[in-house]
Amino acid sequence: MRQDNLHIDYYDINSYHVDFKRQLMPSTLFCFLQESAWRHANSKDFGWERLAERNEYWILAKVHVQINRMPKWPEKIRCETWGKAPELLTAFRDYEFFDANHQPVIRATSSWHILDMQTHRPKTLTTFADDFPVVDRQAIADKPQKIKPPASDCERSTVFTVHLSDLDLNMHVNNTKYVQWAIDCIPFDFQEQHQLHEINVNFLSQSSLGETYFIETYQNNLTFTHFILSEKDSRKLAAVQSVWNKRE
């Protein structure tokens, strides 16, 4: 296990990264997760361009984030990320974020697949297995889990449309957008009085420009579960579950 497979980035928390509480927005946090993953993959020759030459691309499948506290504007944070031992079809990546005092503020674990551009089916990771950049370290020991619908009634949103600004470089809705859409379903009064403690996301199906979708929201005390579904066929696009604590 080579320690030089650890990748480090530094991020400034700018005014446009934060919410009304001056805290890092969850969607921006997911931007940082995505960016550090891309930078590390590119540095190890597993990045977007290398895979594009093979008619393949990475997709994020699941993420589990635990938050000690959300960084605030204008802090500077350090992100450490690394790969864990892959399985046949799944790669794993962990993250830890630290503040200026070297205190851990956020930790995360994630799972990824490589898809074929034509079939959109997962490819085996045997080609990369021997050279995969792995570190013997765990931010969160358990793998990110599947989100299940709660046994309660849900509230259904109005219908929305996927816009051009929602798309990533693969012409599908960027993973950060699903997080943003879900968090926006949580009432302002609740967010004003509570602090995000944990968030799980499952990315289930790709969505494209012009597709219409709606969101089913379940609330169980301090836990919100959202399913984002295609209006056309009720296909599940993503699931987002967030756990909150009462603000002190």
Side-chain angles (χ1 to χ4, degrees), residues 13 17-19 21-30 32-33 65-75 77 97-99 103-107 179 183 191 194-199 242-244 247:
I13 308 301
H17 291 148
V18 300
D19 59 16
K21 295 175 285 189
R22 264 185 53 206
Q23 294 180 339
L24 184 67
M25 290 185 291
S27 57
T28 308
L29 170 61
F30 274 73
F32 292 167
L33 297 177
V65 179
Q66 296 175 345
I67 301 165
N68 295 336
R69 72 169 183 87
M70 273 296 198
K72 290 187 172 184
W73 171 63
E75 283 190 72
I77 56 175
F97 289 82
F98 300 86
D99 63 19
Q103 295 301 305
V105 291
I106 298 169
R107 56 177 54 89
V179 175
I183 296 298
Q191 294 198 44
H194 296 82
Q195 184 68 40
L196 182 61
H197 174 64
E198 194 168 350
I199 185 166
S242 58
V243 181
W244 301 72
R247 287 176 62 83

Side-chain angles (χ1 to χ4, degrees), residues 147-150 214-216 218 225-229 236 238-240:
I147 298 172
K148 299 178 180 179
F214 62 94
I215 303 174
E216 293 180 346
Y218 302 79
T225 304
H226 310 271
F227 286 92
I228 303 171
L229 301 100
K236 290 180 180 177
V240 180

Side-chain angles (χ1 to χ4, degrees), residues 5 19 32 40 73 77 82 119 147 156 161 175 186 194 206 213 217 220 239:
N5 285 330
D19 59 16
F32 292 167
H40 192 197
W73 171 63
I77 56 175
W82 61 94
T119 65
I147 298 172
R156 176 171 168 164
T161 301
N175 70 81
I186 299 175
H194 296 82
Q206 295 172 351
Y213 65 92
T217 298
N220 182 10

Side-chain angles (χ1 to χ4, degrees), residues 32-227:
F32 292 167
L33 297 177
Q34 175 179 272
E35 183 62 23
S36 287
W38 286 126
R39 290 179 183 180
H40 192 197
N42 286 332
S43 73
K44 293 296 182 180
D45 205 24
F46 296 97
W48 185 86
E49 290 185 356
R50 168 74 187 279
L51 265 63
E53 293 172 357
R54 301 159 52 93
N55 291 317
E56 298 169 346
Y57 61 98
W58 284 106
I59 65 157
L60 182 55
K62 296 185 180 74
V63 185
H64 178 200
V65 179
Q66 296 175 345
I67 301 165
N68 295 336
R69 72 169 183 87
M70 273 296 198
K72 290 187 172 184
W73 171 63
E75 283 190 72
K76 185 169 188 172
I77 56 175
R78 182 177 86 252
C79 172
E80 298 184 1
T81 185
W82 61 94
K84 298 197 289 190
E87 297 178 350
L88 182 63
L89 297 174
T90 307
F92 299 97
R93 171 175 294 279
D94 276 14
Y95 304 80
E96 281 194 279
F97 289 82
F98 300 86
D99 63 19
N101 296 318
H102 311 293
Q103 295 301 305
V105 291
I106 298 169
R107 56 177 54 89
T109 189
S110 59
S111 61
W112 302 71
H113 302 304
I114 293 177
L115 299 192
D116 183 279
M117 284 186 179
Q118 274 69 51
T119 65
H120 304 295
R121 294 185 178 277
K123 305 278 287 189
T124 63
L125 296 176
T126 52
T127 305
F128 296 134
D130 292 339
D131 299 318
F132 207 79
V134 172
V135 174
D136 188 15
R137 171 181 169 186
Q138 298 195 90
I140 298 176
D142 294 333
K143 299 175 185 176
Q145 299 297 307
K146 180 179 179 180
I147 298 172
K148 299 178 180 179
S152 60
D153 293 334
C154 69
E155 183 174 315
R156 176 171 168 164
S157 73
T158 57
V159 173
F160 303 98
T161 301
V162 173
H163 298 294
L164 187 60
S165 60
D166 296 322
L167 304 183
D168 61 17
L169 48 79
N170 292 317
M171 291 299 293
H172 301 125
V173 172
N174 189 279
N175 70 81
T176 65
K177 295 295 182 177
Y178 295 118
V179 175
Q180 179 182 321
W181 297 346
I183 296 298
D184 283 347
C185 289
I186 299 175
F188 171 80
D189 289 347
F190 183 92
Q191 294 198 44
E192 190 176 35
Q193 298 170 20
H194 296 82
Q195 184 68 40
L196 182 61
H197 174 64
E198 194 168 350
I199 185 166
N200 289 276
V201 187
N202 295 175
F203 302 99
L204 303 172
S205 184
Q206 295 172 351
S207 185
S208 303
L209 183 64
E211 185 166 3
T212 52
Y213 65 92
F214 62 94
I215 303 174
E216 293 180 346
T217 298
Y218 302 79
Q219 182 180 3
N220 182 10
N221 295 321
L222 299 181
T223 299
F224 284 85
T225 304
H226 310 271
F227 286 92

